[in-house]
Amino acid sequence: MDHKKVRVRFAPSPTGGLHLGGVRTVLFNYLFAKQHKGDFILRIEDTDQTRYVPGAEEYINECLRWCGLTPDESPEAGGPYAPYRQSERKQLYRQYAEQLVKAGHAYYAFDTPEELESMRERLKTPENPSPQYNHIVREKMRNSLTLPDAEVQDLLAKNTPHVIRINMPANEDITFTDLVRGEVTFHTSQVDDKVLLKADGMPTYHLAVVVDDYLMKITHAFRGEEWLPSAPVHLLLWKFLGWEADMPQWAHLPLILKPDGNGKLSKRDGDRLGFPVYAMNWTDPNTGEVTKGFRERGFLPEAFINMLAMLGWNDGTEQEIFSLDELIQKFSLERVHKAGAKFDFEKAKWFNHQYIHHKDNESLAALFRPVLDEKGITADPAYVATVAGLVKERCYFVNEIWDHGFFFFQSPGSYDEAAVKPKWNADKEAFFQTWSEQLESLSAAPAAELEVAFKALAAEKNLKMGDVQLPFRIMLTGGKFGPPVFDIVATLGTAETRSRIAKGLEAFK
């Protein structure tokens, strides 16, 4: 393997929204490929046409674009091993299934759905509620292992519906080295005879993934640990097809768990606990139901990616903030944890906060623009950037720029009068009238100069700063909140500030 160019793939089924666990699988594949100057391939595994959902493939592409994890080869981009949709490769798979039958590693099974259901009912016990078609059961079913050759050939000649199943050895140990888990062993008696080719001629995942990984020269296969039980089937197929020397190295990634650590995180958990589990909004084409995504919730893609990288991996230091380039440089499978990683939405928000806090003001202003458009507010981009810079340190999401800075775009509609009126008097009223007049000559003054002038006037009028600064803030914002008060004045400008002082004085009478 070491002499080959690294080639990895993400192979989702287009059946719905893209779970954050799927995006993390993409990320780890991408980081590994880029670190080794290799290729990252997107392959659409749409062989199960009963589960195919229109629009799901386009959604997957859009998710990867948003995350900045662009495939080198894909149905969209093309590539030397096209087509990259398994449904378009259908004619490739039967020859390999037939090759397996010829070698005795697979067999034709002619059992009808009714016969299969009858078998399950007949063999069901409290200890085994879902009997599998395995090395014991196959001896009692209608297949090419139990029927005379002449009858098998007759059934095939009549195009009798059938599937091709793997002939799983009855009593073998299968061992392989997982790049995350080390040595893993399975006993074949615990594995059923999986269907490889369905009655409609479509391969199942088990056959297609092996054939396509071989033909596309995949060197490393990273996938979630839920696929670990399928590993013995895939390992045997690589061996039975004579491709063992070209088999990719395997890495089964840890699950992303519910916040309490009790089981795999699901969409239902997100709905129940009020946070997204999909990368982007997903609209069910049948019901119209919209499932919220991280993008629409207000996450920056770079924060989302950073957060995902830390779910099940670290670089061995205390560092938590990594750019994509740093992740490419530092990622290693040796540092991927075996145990599942609990999802913590508060921690996810913390990552987003860090990225918003350090993002340049102009970029934040551009991201915030749709919020203003929705509210029918027009503002100069430079002004919006200044506002974003003043409030971003308090924001976990871009739309919170409005929550923390709405008063920059509209005069307060009400005031926290209870914080002002009990201590309001004629001296304070006179102070603000004088201060408003002074502001006329301070139109271009920076915040520091405004503060000096304000303090000087307060001292001249024998007023404490605390006695006049709070009412001033409330005049400007409506409440006891916002960035430093003189930064607000410098941003609003003296004309708007004087207008707000006048309205405040009226309200505090």
Side-chain angles (χ1 to χ4, degrees), residues 85-101:
R85 287 186 197 93
Q86 286 185 334
S87 59
E88 296 172 9
R89 301 167 65 82
K90 179 179 175 181
Q91 73 283 0
L92 289 172
Y93 303 109
R94 177 166 282 278
Q95 62 177 304
Y96 297 108
E98 296 286 0
Q99 179 184 326
L100 290 165
V101 173

Side-chain angles (χ1 to χ4, degrees), residues 24 180-181 225 253-255 257 311-312 336-342:
R24 190 193 59 178
V180 171
R181 292 155 202 286
E225 71 172 53
L253 307 174
L255 294 175
L257 305 175
L311 280 174
V336 174
H337 311 154
K338 294 182 181 67
K342 291 183 195 176

Side-chain angles (χ1 to χ4, degrees), residues 404-425:
H404 294 289
F406 65 90
F407 46 85
F408 284 107
F409 304 99
Q410 59 187 30
S411 188
S414 61
Y415 301 94
D416 183 359
E417 294 179 25
V420 177
K421 280 192 169 181
K423 294 182 180 179
W424 189 250
N425 55 39

Side-chain angles (χ1 to χ4, degrees), residues 82-130:
Y84 292 92
R85 287 186 197 93
Q86 286 185 334
S87 59
E88 296 172 9
R89 301 167 65 82
K90 179 179 175 181
Q91 73 283 0
L92 289 172
Y93 303 109
R94 177 166 282 278
Q95 62 177 304
Y96 297 108
E98 296 286 0
Q99 179 184 326
L100 290 165
V101 173
K102 202 170 182 181
H105 297 309
Y107 57 91
Y108 304 111
F110 300 95
D111 316 284
T112 65
E114 293 75 22
E115 287 170 334
L116 290 170
E117 186 55 38
S118 171
M119 175 272 288
R120 293 186 191 104
E121 284 300 318
R122 192 171 68 252
L123 300 180
K124 184 163 66 175
T125 65
E127 296 76 31
N128 184 17
S130 302

Side-chain angles (χ1 to χ4, degrees), residues 261-282:
N262 187 22
K264 182 183 176 183
L265 181 70
S266 71
K267 171 187 170 296
R268 220 170 284 111
D269 297 314
D271 294 342
R272 177 172 55 87
L273 297 169
F275 56 71
V277 297
Y278 287 169
M280 296 178 352
N281 275 13
W282 167 252

Side-chain angles (χ1 to χ4, degrees), residues 19 67 73 91 230 296 303 347 387 406 410 438 459 461:
H19 187 279
C67 292
E73 300 166 27
Q91 73 283 0
S230 300
E296 289 76 10
K347 187 68 174 182
V387 171
F406 65 90
Q410 59 187 30
Q438 276 194 17
K461 301 291 185 182

Side-chain angles (χ1 to χ4, degrees), residues 18-239:
L18 186 55
H19 187 279
L20 75 165
V23 186
R24 190 193 59 178
T25 299
V26 174
L27 176 61
F28 285 5
N29 271 292
Y30 182 90
L31 297 178
F32 188 83
K34 297 307 160 190
Q35 186 180 77
H36 292 89
K37 308 287 188 274
D39 297 324
F40 165 55
I41 294 101
L42 173 67
R43 188 172 71 218
I44 300 296
E45 303 208 336
D46 58 347
T47 56
D48 189 345
Q49 293 292 290
T50 62
R51 296 179 64 230
Y52 176 81
V53 176
E57 182 183 328
E58 293 79 3
Y59 169 89
I60 290 165
N61 288 328
E62 181 61 25
C63 284
L64 299 195
R65 269 193 295 274
W66 176 64
C67 292
L69 304 174
T70 308
D72 298 295
E73 300 166 27
S74 69
E76 206 174 52
Y81 300 94
Y84 292 92
R85 287 186 197 93
Q86 286 185 334
S87 59
E88 296 172 9
R89 301 167 65 82
K90 179 179 175 181
Q91 73 283 0
L92 289 172
Y93 303 109
R94 177 166 282 278
Q95 62 177 304
Y96 297 108
E98 296 286 0
Q99 179 184 326
L100 290 165
V101 173
K102 202 170 182 181
H105 297 309
Y107 57 91
Y108 304 111
F110 300 95
D111 316 284
T112 65
E114 293 75 22
E115 287 170 334
L116 290 170
E117 186 55 38
S118 171
M119 175 272 288
R120 293 186 191 104
E121 284 300 318
R122 192 171 68 252
L123 300 180
K124 184 163 66 175
T125 65
E127 296 76 31
N128 184 17
S130 302
Q132 300 294 304
Y133 201 122
N134 60 17
H135 67 285
I136 297 171
V137 171
R138 68 188 177 212
E139 300 300 330
K140 305 177 180 69
M141 304 300 288
R142 293 178 65 242
N143 56 59
S144 57
L145 299 178
T146 60
L147 299 172
D149 285 348
E151 186 175 345
V152 170
Q153 294 310 314
D154 184 52
L155 288 167
L156 292 173
K158 292 175 179 174
N159 290 320
T160 306
H162 65 279
V163 301
I164 294 179
R165 290 179 178 271
I166 188 170
N167 189 353
M168 186 61 62
N171 189 29
E172 284 184 21
D173 281 329
I174 300 174
T175 299
F176 74 100
T177 300
D178 188 281
L179 294 172
V180 171
R181 292 155 202 286
E183 195 171 277
V184 181
T185 299
F186 294 91
H187 198 270
T188 54
S189 64
Q190 303 301 309
V191 186
D192 58 311
D193 290 4
K194 300 288 186 192
V195 173
L196 302 179
L197 201 74
K198 292 178 280 191
D200 63 2
M202 275 290 194
T204 62
Y205 170 78
H206 304 293
L207 178 64
V209 73
V210 171
V211 170
D212 288 344
D213 280 355
Y214 172 72
L215 295 178
M216 293 182 182
K217 302 190 185 310
I218 301 302
T219 61
H220 297 77
F222 302 165
R223 57 189 185 182
E225 71 172 53
E226 63 268 33
W227 288 106
L228 204 50
S230 300
V233 177
H234 302 163
L235 289 158
L236 283 175
L237 287 175
W238 279 95
K239 178 182 175 184

Side-chain angles (χ1 to χ4, degrees), residues 246-480:
D246 296 306
M247 186 170 68
Q249 292 181 264
W250 301 90
H252 289 85
L253 307 174
L255 294 175
I256 296 178
L257 305 175
K258 303 173 197 274
D260 62 6
N262 187 22
K264 182 183 176 183
L265 181 70
S266 71
K267 171 187 170 296
R268 220 170 284 111
D269 297 314
D271 294 342
R272 177 172 55 87
L273 297 169
F275 56 71
V277 297
Y278 287 169
M280 296 178 352
N281 275 13
W282 167 252
T283 303
D284 187 304
N286 297 317
T287 65
E289 179 193 358
V290 177
T291 303
K292 265 283 172 81
F294 280 87
R295 182 179 73 173
E296 289 76 10
R297 184 70 175 76
F299 277 81
L300 301 179
E302 54 268 45
F304 179 59
I305 287 299
N306 194 158
M307 176 271 293
L308 281 182
M310 304 305 287
L311 280 174
W313 173 86
N314 64 60
D315 73 338
T317 72
E318 296 298 310
Q319 184 176 344
E320 292 186 279
I321 302 298
F322 295 88
S323 68
L324 187 58
D325 285 342
E326 285 177 308
L327 287 171
I328 290 169
Q329 183 188 340
K330 297 194 174 186
F331 180 75
S332 70
L333 285 168
E334 291 76 22
R335 298 292 313 174
V336 174
H337 311 154
K338 294 182 181 67
K342 291 183 195 176
F343 178 68
D344 180 348
F345 188 57
E346 292 306 311
K347 187 68 174 182
K349 284 167 59 179
W350 176 85
F351 276 105
N352 210 48
H353 173 69
Q354 296 299 309
Y355 276 85
I356 285 176
H357 181 50
H358 291 99
K359 199 165 191 67
D360 68 272
N361 300 338
E362 290 70 25
S363 299
L364 270 184
L367 292 168
F368 180 58
R369 172 61 59 187
V371 177
L372 294 177
D373 292 343
E374 197 178 297
K375 295 178 183 297
I377 293 171
T378 55
D380 179 69
Y383 179 80
V384 180
T386 301
V387 171
L390 288 172
V391 302
K392 66 182 182 181
E393 156 182 345
R394 298 169 172 82
C395 298
Y396 284 84
F397 300 106
V398 171
N399 60 3
E400 290 178 352
I401 292 173
W402 177 263
D403 301 331
H404 294 289
F406 65 90
F407 46 85
F408 284 107
F409 304 99
Q410 59 187 30
S411 188
S414 61
Y415 301 94
D416 183 359
E417 294 179 25
V420 177
K421 280 192 169 181
K423 294 182 180 179
W424 189 250
N425 55 39
D427 289 345
K428 291 180 182 176
E429 185 174 352
F431 169 85
F432 280 104
Q433 287 168 343
T434 305
W435 172 236
S436 180
E437 291 165 9
Q438 276 194 17
L439 281 172
E440 265 194 291
S441 61
L442 293 167
S443 59
E449 192 176 320
L450 290 164
E451 185 172 4
V452 168
F454 188 87
K455 284 181 177 176
L457 182 61
E460 182 187 318
K461 301 291 185 182
N462 293 314
L463 291 167
K464 293 177 182 174
M465 271 293 283
D467 290 339
V468 286
Q469 190 162 317
L470 179 60
F472 189 30
R473 176 180 291 281
I474 293 171
M475 288 173 182
L476 298 176
T477 70
K480 295 184 281 189

